[in-house]
Amino acid sequence: MDFVPASADHLPPPQRITDRVAGSAGRAVGYGRPGPDAPNVLVVVLDDVGFAQLGCFGAGIDTPRIDALAAEGLRYQRFHVTSVCSSTRAALLTGRNHHAVGMGVTQEAAMGFPGYTGRIPRSAASVARLLRESGYNTMAVGKWHLTPRTEYSSAGPFERWPLGLGFERFYGFLGAETSQWSPELVRDNTHVDPPATPEEGYHLTEDLVDQAIRMIQDQQQAESRKPFFCYLATGAAHAPHQVAAEWVEPYRGRFDHGWEAYREEVFARQVAAGVVPAGTVLTPRPSWVPAWDDLGPEQRRLYARYMEVFAGFLAHTDHHLGRLLDFLDERGLTDDTLVMVLSDNGASAEGGPTGTLNEAAGWLGLHEDEQTALGSVDALGGHDTFNHYPWGWAWAGNTPLRLWKRYAWLGGVRTPLVLRWPSRVTDPGAVRDQFTHVVDLFPTVLEAAGVPVPATVDGVSQQPVDGTSFLASIGDGGAAEHRHLQYFEMMGSRGVYAEGWKAVTDHVANQFGERDHLEGSHDHATDRWSLFDLRADFSESTDVAADHPDVVRRLEGLWWAEAGRNQVLPLFEFPQSMAHLHPGEFPPPAEGVYAPGGGPVQEPQLPPTGGGFVLRAEFAVPESGAEGVVVALGDRHGGWGLHLLAGRPVATFALLDATTRVAAPDAVPPGEHVVELVYRPAGRERPARAELRVDGSVVADEPVPGLMFLPNLSSSGAGLLVGRDRGLAVSTDYTPPFEFTGELRRVVLRSGRPEDDAERAARVRAAVAGD
């Protein structure tokens, strides 16, 4: 059947129409209705939280509110995801495997291959869309990460923003991560400023929970008979790990004994709690994770502090989720609300072997030395850092499993799932052991709501749903396992589950420096398949491939069949695959013209800056002088900008500890002027340089160390602001907004190598003369 909104256009005609009312009989417009026992649904997606990082899954981190949910509901011990953010979210919302809906990797790596476009097709209508048309109100709050970066701007297209994929309300951020203190926010289809500043105590998690409460409150007060679907995706506990010091202090000293000892404690609690079966083998420390006892005392102090901050960050998140749960209690909604709390992938190792003060800089291969990090140890988690812990803590956070996020090993794909539905769960506090995958959430929610999966939506035939409902297991712990086959693939790491067996390759991706440390294959031609009997080996500890070569061959064949069916091919290879990045609706412009007064212009819509650029600002200085921000992109953790300080032009390039300040010696006098910021990229024998020019004359010139101008330079995800700054300033010279006090006429950003002096001087003279 065709699935369409119930409206006058799709109803039988009125019973009778004549020229007068007295002789006519009308018919009321119809509305979609879910099943008679349809619950409210709250899905909470935590970010980068490993199998062993919630208290109810054995962690030494205090998560009492999620633990209480588990005590009142269920824990699924064999719940699986795709091992990265975008892919898991797409699978959750569509019920299809991630490659089948074009989400084979994160949005930042969207490519031209069918399984990697980063664009969910109309043939995979989301659970929000189906629930909305069946009488639910739908709202999304928090991290989205399902829109290609080239579509983040105020020009859209908006069909892959939340409102285009079935949600009626949205408040959150579009990208992979953002500053907890100064995020890049969107309300519905509009970029907005945070409601408070970092100095005023703003924190993203608190704001997101406030917004979720407000949306549900407004909806319920307007019509309590209508159920809601709320999708709350926190930025936590993805890097940057940022939280007020008061949340970190309770953890001081808790991790001083190191990751091996901590892991053993977690494992003992897991077995005692029943979330890990008795007899499970605790997998050994791999060679690429250093022994804690081999570290120096200062290294141990630094690494422990990184983990203390993470723990405080997660505990803070749990506390604020508790406010939302309290609100459901106060409104009398708890019994009729299905709550699911999960993580999108295993714990993240993107902080590298030593951790980092600035995770975004780590993407570019820039890592501060440990002495520099030690100098900022007390600042971790605050406004001045963008930190991520060392990968030894990611290994511990996935206890008792191997590896971490981005891999098909269980450490990447097995995460916590806590479910509460008081009116349906008959044995609260129990652990379920059915093999479950994130694609199964879609049909489970729809079955609970009494909403069928249509054959067509808006005339578009719907592709098969890969998920299978596990609703039966909610009320019956002995329910038969509903999933017998599931493939895994992420950035070249491959795996497949079939009837209790799991096979996985030893492929190591060429990212985050892991090939310099991790043992395994670096080429798909040499990948080796390992085999595990998960019925007896919960932790994937004992490779039995040599004993069952026939099973290995059968599972490898199943993987290739699933790969073909789900658009996995060609196999992902880094960096070769990056040569096929999707260009977006339009290529980046060579030149852009900007004026003050608007919202941010997102990075993908700006002229590329890696090969050099010229920024030209045209403004008038009053007799009293001028100061303020001309342009600002990003913040102190990653960004660049130009401002006037007491009338003097100053350019700032901020990244890690390589911040460069280029300042003119004199103030710009009253009158019409053109100030240029010129960036010349590094050559074979010369460093990159930045120079300031006032009316065509060079007034300052400095080398710029580091790789300053690459995609994702702005760690906060912020766009270009003109005439003001916000949040955490690019420069320490000022406090936002530091609005420009002169008359800023326009700013022109031109990509490419700077023009020659003669041509530039002529253009400047013409601009000053008003030609």
Side-chain angles (χ1 to χ4, degrees):
M1 68 176 183
D2 202 14
F3 186 82
V4 294
S7 69
D9 294 337
H10 303 99
L11 288 171
Q15 294 174 345
R16 185 170 58 255
I17 294 291
T18 70
D19 61 340
R20 302 297 297 271
V21 172
S24 302
R27 183 188 302 274
V29 172
Y31 293 88
R33 289 282 188 270
D37 299 319
N40 302 306
V41 180
L42 170 62
V43 176
V44 178
V45 182
L46 303 173
D47 204 331
D48 287 5
V49 173
F51 181 79
Q53 289 183 322
L54 298 178
C56 53
F57 277 78
I61 300 173
D62 301 326
T63 55
R65 301 311 304 268
I66 298 176
D67 298 351
L69 273 181
E72 298 162 2
L74 303 169
R75 284 165 291 176
Y76 281 77
Q77 65 174 192
R78 293 204 298 153
F79 174 70
H80 299 81
V81 292
T82 73
S83 86
V84 299
C85 317
S86 301
S87 303
T88 291
R89 292 158 206 271
L92 187 162
L93 291 175
T94 69
R96 281 82 172 184
N97 287 319
H98 54 304
H99 295 91
V101 292
M103 209 68 67
V105 285
T106 64
Q107 287 291 7
E108 291 74 21
M111 295 175 281
F113 302 122
Y116 302 86
T117 63
R119 289 151 174 82
I120 295 174
R122 295 177 64 201
S123 58
S126 76
V127 64
R129 170 67 197 277
L130 302 188
L131 290 176
R132 185 191 74 190
E133 304 302 344
S134 298
Y136 273 73
N137 282 129
T138 58
M139 53 200 79
V141 179
K143 175 173 173 174
W144 182 239
H145 209 196
L146 292 172
T147 302
R149 288 187 73 248
T150 56
E151 299 179 9
Y152 284 4
S153 82
S154 297
F158 296 100
E159 62 185 288
R160 283 169 284 271
W161 289 38
L163 270 60
L165 286 175
F167 289 98
E168 297 167 305
R169 300 291 309 280
F170 174 65
Y171 181 87
F173 61 101
L174 295 177
E177 64 181 56
T178 193
S179 169
Q180 296 290 313
W181 304 118
S182 178
E184 182 73 3
L185 292 173
V186 168
R187 185 182 296 280
D188 298 332
N189 282 352
T190 303
H191 290 270
V192 297
D193 288 354
T197 67
E199 293 76 17
E200 292 169 332
Y202 176 89
H203 192 280
L204 177 60
T205 302
E206 299 172 23
D207 187 19
L208 296 180
V209 171
D210 287 345
Q211 295 293 330
I213 290 172
R214 176 63 185 271
M215 287 183 189
I216 296 172
Q217 179 179 356
D218 288 352
Q219 184 266 349
Q220 285 289 296
Q221 289 182 168
E223 184 48 83
S224 62
R225 292 168 295 181
K226 193 169 186 177
F228 65 81
F229 173 68
C230 180
Y231 173 81
L232 172 59
T234 64
H238 195 293
H241 303 156
Q242 294 173 325
V243 72
E246 65 193 72
W247 288 94
V248 179
E249 284 311 297
Y251 292 94
R252 188 177 289 276
R254 280 211 207 177
F255 306 104
D256 287 355
H257 55 321
W259 36 62
E260 296 107 325
Y262 173 77
R263 197 163 177 268
E264 290 171 0
E265 294 170 357
V266 168
F267 182 61
R269 287 191 291 265
Q270 290 175 325
V271 174
V275 291
V276 167
T280 296
V281 174
L282 179 62
T283 55
R285 177 179 59 82
S287 63
W288 51 86
V289 173
W292 189 261
D293 289 343
D294 290 344
L295 300 174
E298 291 295 272
Q299 285 180 304
R300 293 197 294 268
R301 180 168 74 93
L302 174 63
Y303 295 178
R305 188 60 176 175
Y306 275 122
M307 184 58 186
E308 291 166 8
V309 172
F310 174 84
F313 187 32
L314 189 54
H316 172 266
T317 304
D318 175 83
H319 169 80
H320 287 284
L321 289 176
R323 292 197 296 115
L324 175 55
L325 299 173
D326 288 343
F327 169 76
L328 297 180
D329 284 340
E330 292 161 7
R331 293 286 308 187
L333 297 170
T334 296
D335 285 349
D336 295 323
T337 300
L338 168 59
V339 179
M340 298 179 181
V341 179
L342 62 139
S343 177
D344 57 359
N345 45 248
S348 168
E350 289 158 16
T354 62
T356 179
L357 296 177
N358 189 330
E359 184 233 7
W363 300 344
L364 306 182
L366 301 177
H367 295 277
E368 73 281 356
D369 61 72
E370 289 183 351
Q371 284 305 119
T372 299
L374 280 164
S376 298
V377 68
D378 293 328
L380 292 175
H383 296 173
D384 294 328
T385 58
F386 210 82
N387 45 284
H388 195 312
Y389 56 32
W391 65 28
W393 291 118
W395 169 65
N398 292 325
T399 303
L401 313 173
R402 299 194 198 201
L403 269 171
W404 40 60
K405 175 182 178 179
R406 294 177 291 103
Y407 285 90
W409 294 82
L410 289 179
V413 301
R414 182 178 285 170
T415 69
L417 171 62
V418 176
L419 182 151
R420 185 185 73 178
W421 191 4
S423 63
R424 290 291 189 96
V425 174
T426 58
D427 52 347
V431 175
R432 295 289 190 258
D433 63 0
Q434 289 87 353
F435 187 98
T436 308
H437 191 270
V438 67
V439 292
D440 300 329
L441 299 187
F442 173 96
T444 301
V445 168
L446 290 180
E447 185 181 2
V451 174
V453 178
T456 62
V457 175
D458 292 339
V460 178
S461 296
Q462 297 296 285
Q463 61 195 75
V465 172
D466 297 306
T468 303
S469 172
F470 60 89
L471 189 66
S473 71
I474 293 177
D476 178 10
E481 191 162 288
H482 60 282
R483 175 155 297 283
H484 305 286
L485 174 65
Q486 180 62 47
Y487 84 93
F488 300 93
E489 192 283 333
M490 187 53 59
M491 300 181 186
S493 180
R494 296 177 283 156
V496 60
Y497 169 85
E499 302 288 353
W501 295 100
K502 180 165 181 262
V504 62
T505 66
D506 63 346
H507 191 82
V508 178
N510 187 22
Q511 298 177 72
F512 300 99
E514 290 181 351
R515 283 195 177 175
D516 296 334
H517 300 272
L518 273 62
E519 299 163 3
S521 169
H522 298 168
D523 189 314
H524 290 301
T526 59
D527 286 356
R528 177 187 176 277
W529 289 87
S530 294
L531 179 69
F532 303 92
D533 183 356
L534 296 189
R535 295 163 295 190
D537 183 6
F538 181 84
S539 62
E540 209 171 54
S541 67
T542 306
D543 183 0
V544 295
D547 299 327
H548 302 280
D550 54 330
V551 177
V552 175
R553 285 192 296 272
R554 181 170 67 86
L555 264 62
E556 183 179 2
L558 286 173
W559 187 91
W560 283 104
E562 288 296 283
R565 186 176 72 85
N566 286 282
Q567 306 183 146
V568 178
L569 305 177
L571 293 173
F572 185 91
E573 299 174 278
F574 187 87
Q576 296 93 319
S577 294
M578 296 298 96
H580 300 274
L581 289 177
H582 197 291
E585 186 177 19
F586 297 103
E591 181 174 284
V593 180
Y594 313 102
V601 182
Q602 303 304 304
E603 282 187 90
Q605 276 65 46
L606 295 173
T609 53
F613 71 83
V614 176
L615 177 81
R616 187 173 73 251
E618 302 170 10
F619 54 81
V621 176
E623 289 298 324
S624 58
E627 67 175 4
V629 170
V630 177
V631 296
L633 173 67
D635 59 26
R636 68 188 64 170
H637 304 301
W640 61 275
L642 173 66
H643 62 277
L644 298 190
L645 185 65
R648 295 188 304 132
V650 180
T652 303
F653 304 106
L655 186 63
L656 199 59
D657 59 342
T659 296
T660 299
R661 187 173 183 272
V662 187
D666 301 311
V668 179
E672 299 281 345
H673 297 281
V674 173
V675 173
E676 292 175 296
L677 170 61
V678 178
Y679 172 73
R680 300 179 185 280
R684 288 185 178 180
E685 298 181 0
R686 69 173 191 276
R689 298 194 70 85
E691 62 186 39
L692 283 171
R693 294 175 176 263
V694 176
D695 299 333
S697 298
V698 177
V699 295
D701 183 12
E702 296 287 346
V704 181
L707 302 174
M708 300 303 302
F709 298 98
L710 293 174
N712 278 334
L713 170 66
S714 168
S715 56
S716 66
L720 183 77
L721 292 167
V722 180
R724 68 183 177 105
D725 200 355
R726 67 182 183 189
L728 299 172
V730 175
S731 172
T732 58
D733 284 345
Y734 60 83
T735 299
F738 199 47
E739 294 181 358
F740 191 75
T741 59
E743 186 176 347
L744 183 54
R745 306 204 188 288
R746 67 173 191 163
V747 172
V748 181
L749 178 61
R750 184 171 55 78
S751 179
R753 292 185 178 275
E755 59 200 303
D756 67 80
D757 289 348
E759 183 183 350
R760 181 188 302 109
R763 292 182 63 176
V764 169
R765 285 192 297 272
V768 172
D771 293 348

